[in-house]
Amino acid sequence: MNYEFFSQTDPGLIRSNNEDVVCFDVSTRLCILADGMGGYNAGEVASAMAATFINAEMGRWLTQTGLNPLPKGVRRAMEICVENANHSIYNAGNSNPQYTGMGTTLVVGVFHNDCLTLGHIGDSRCYRLRGDALVQITKDHSLLQEQIDAGLITPEAALTSSNRNLVTRALGVEDGVALEIHEHRVESGDLYLMCSDGLSDMVRDEVISEIMQGFESLEQKAWRLTSAANTSGGRDNISVLLVLASQALEKRSFLSRMLGK
């Protein structure tokens, strides 16, 4: 399977600084998106620490392992890297009063063969567009999601709830954190979107789906998604990471090419 990547981040229209960090590595097919939280500039410190640490440690492991690691190994390596990143952020927050209580959401994915190993913490999301069907393949760790699950509020009412930004898990806030990990089968033509809540809070899934189904390049789709969030108010930082899967062309032998087969 071949993978094409593109990411974009924007501060939005209200905030002067950007606490989102988004990055990917084509060689290891590692993708990371983090949305920081905390007073002063602590949020951007937490998200930068998470992305830098996980990119370095997970990237090193993937480089040593190669492009065909077993899902079980990817899962375990991801758990260890995120756990170590959590300790680093937590310890930095405890040792520096300016960073007290800082934390970050996280979406981290590794595409290997025809599989996506996907981990997340908090309310940053990952969607998959397959054909014309858009599916959210992460489930928010948030008070609002818990209320929806308990039947206390409908998904429609949740769109205008004042509790939208209250997460129940975050990286670096406590000494330990539970990373939710799942494996997903990847099909040729799948388009994946990782995003911060600056997009998902401002743009309905129907609009996201319409943009993702367009025939533009990944760069143009990322720009349209960001623009849609800003058009709706741009109340938060907006980050998107798009990954397009396509079937790898089989390498033909020299003799086959000569015979036109």
Side-chain angles (χ1 to χ4, degrees), residues 37 48 79 93 101 114 137 154-155 194 209 215 230 234:
M37 61 192 73
E79 288 173 339
D114 57 352
I137 59 174
T154 65
M194 296 181 182
S209 178
F215 294 102
N230 279 326

Side-chain angles (χ1 to χ4, degrees), residues 25-69:
D25 187 311
V26 174
S27 63
T28 59
R29 300 171 179 171
L30 170 65
C31 302
I32 301 168
L33 187 147
D35 179 358
M37 61 192 73
Y40 303 103
N41 295 322
E44 61 190 51
V45 172
S47 58
M49 287 183 66
T52 301
F53 190 98
I54 296 170
N55 188 52
E57 294 301 311
M58 192 73 193
R60 183 179 301 113
W61 184 85
L62 288 167
T63 299
Q64 295 171 348
T65 306
L67 289 178
N68 301 310

Side-chain angles (χ1 to χ4, degrees), residues 36-182:
M37 61 192 73
Y40 303 103
N41 295 322
E44 61 190 51
V45 172
S47 58
M49 287 183 66
T52 301
F53 190 98
I54 296 170
N55 188 52
E57 294 301 311
M58 192 73 193
R60 183 179 301 113
W61 184 85
L62 288 167
T63 299
Q64 295 171 348
T65 306
L67 289 178
N68 301 310
L70 295 175
K72 183 178 180 180
V74 177
R75 172 184 284 261
R76 183 56 184 150
M78 187 178 289
E79 288 173 339
I80 293 172
C81 289
V82 170
E83 181 180 345
N84 290 339
N86 183 76
H87 287 151
S88 296
I89 298 169
Y90 180 75
N91 291 336
N94 283 339
S95 61
N96 190 331
Q98 188 176 2
Y99 299 153
T100 300
M102 71 177 177
T104 181
T105 69
L106 176 71
V107 183
V108 53
V110 177
F111 292 87
H112 47 105
N113 296 322
D114 57 352
C115 178
L116 165 62
T117 299
L118 183 69
H120 80 286
I121 298 168
D123 62 356
S124 291
R125 296 179 176 179
C126 184
Y127 293 87
R128 181 193 66 217
L129 179 71
R130 178 171 291 167
D132 59 359
L134 182 71
V135 178
Q136 181 183 334
I137 59 174
T138 55
K139 189 173 185 179
D140 295 352
H141 301 137
S142 66
L143 177 61
L144 192 60
Q145 185 62 57
E146 291 183 355
Q147 291 175 329
I148 293 172
D149 292 343
L152 299 176
I153 188 173
T154 65
E156 292 74 23
L159 295 173
T160 57
S161 172
S162 59
N163 294 329
R164 292 179 67 83
N165 302 117
L166 299 178
V167 297
T168 55
R169 296 188 205 177
L171 191 70
V173 175
E174 298 179 344
D175 189 42
V177 67
L179 176 70
E180 184 172 347
I181 305 180
H182 298 282

